[in-house]
């Protein structure tokens, strides 16, 4: 575990975007889990949206979030599988200024070990930097969201945002 310098950022302003054709605010268990875990870790949620699996809408929503002064991190859930309607990755990957392949690799490894076994190879979970914001795309299942948040995102979120911001003027 790394130590944090005294000037280290403590709270991250986040956007949570659920990509689903079937969920709404009452049935969005995964989006609510992300929001709850961010709040429990003392982070802000300045945007929470549920949008359908539509390429242009996903791209537009992420672009708006990463250009908002009130957002430092974007966490999407849903649309990362291999069905025809799973278009989250295609919608955002070309926006990445820098891709972080280690996130998807670690997520699939942990999913294999701790959650769903060989079905983890169907996940296309991804992360990258867009306009100096960290963006994560997670599967939509509650198990996947909990695993990603607890084991990967929350332990490194402050560190990632701090690294992105450290050379900016």
């Amino acid at each position: 575990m790394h130590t944090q310098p005294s000037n280290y950022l403590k709270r991250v302003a986040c956007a949570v975007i659920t990509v689903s054709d079937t969920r709404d605010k009452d049935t969005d268990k995964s989006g609510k889990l992300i929001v709850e875990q961010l709040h429990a870790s003392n982070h802000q949620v300045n945007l929470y949206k549920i949008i359908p699996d539509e390429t242009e809408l996903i791209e537009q929503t992420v672009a708006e979030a990463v250009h908002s002064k009130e957002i430092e991190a974007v966490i999407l859930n849903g649309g990362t599988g291999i069905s025809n309607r799973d278009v989250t990755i295609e919608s955002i990957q070309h926006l990445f200024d820098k891709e972080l392949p280690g996130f998807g690799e670690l997520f699939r490894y942990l999913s294999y070990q701790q959650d769903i076994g060989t079905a983890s190879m169907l996940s296309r979970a991804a992360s990258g930097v867009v306009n100096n914001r960290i963006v994560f795309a997670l599967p939509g299942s509650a198990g996947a969201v909990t695993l990603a948040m607890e084991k990967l995102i929350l332990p490194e979120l402050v560190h990632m945002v701090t690294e992105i911001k450290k050379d900016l003027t």
Side-chain angles (χ1 to χ4, degrees):
M1 194 116 174
H2 58 277
T3 58
Q4 298 177 351
S6 59
N7 64 344
Y8 216 68
L9 174 73
K10 302 276 192 261
R11 174 182 260 200
V12 176
C14 301
V16 176
I17 302 167
T18 295
V19 179
S20 174
D21 289 332
T22 58
R23 294 187 187 150
D24 59 31
K25 295 231 178 190
D26 293 328
T27 60
D28 183 23
K29 183 177 179 185
S30 295
K32 287 178 187 174
L33 275 170
I34 296 168
V35 169
E36 289 168 9
Q37 290 187 9
L38 288 167
H39 285 154
S41 297
N42 199 36
H43 298 298
Q44 294 173 233
V45 177
N46 291 339
L47 173 70
Y48 168 50
K49 273 185 128 170
I50 301 170
I51 58 174
D53 293 278
E54 300 291 341
T55 302
E56 288 179 18
L57 187 56
I58 297 166
E59 183 179 340
Q60 174 188 347
T61 304
V62 170
E64 288 172 6
V66 299
H67 286 90
S68 168
K69 291 180 177 163
E70 306 205 355
I71 302 295
E72 298 168 302
V74 178
I75 305 171
L76 296 104
N77 74 95
T80 64
I82 61 171
S83 78
N84 286 332
R85 294 293 297 156
D86 290 329
V87 296
T88 298
I89 302 306
E90 292 77 9
S91 303
I92 67 167
Q93 203 163 32
H94 71 279
L95 300 174
F96 290 168
D97 300 316
K98 295 182 181 192
E99 188 164 4
L100 299 173
F103 172 78
E105 293 162 1
L106 283 169
F107 174 77
R108 284 179 284 280
Y109 172 75
L110 291 171
S111 287
Y112 174 78
Q113 277 196 324
Q114 299 178 21
D115 193 21
I116 58 172
T118 55
S120 63
M121 75 175 86
L122 278 69
S123 170
R124 297 181 303 135
S127 180
V129 178
V130 182
N131 193 42
N132 297 311
R133 276 40 168 211
I134 188 71
V135 177
F136 299 96
L138 313 177
S141 77
V145 162
T146 299
L147 180 74
M149 293 298 291
E150 290 178 358
K151 300 290 185 179
L152 298 171
I153 296 173
L154 290 173
E156 291 299 326
L157 185 59
V158 168
H159 182 208
M160 294 171 113
V161 172
T162 301
E163 283 296 306
I164 291 168
K165 288 182 163 199
K166 76 178 183 181
D167 297 328
L168 300 178
T169 55

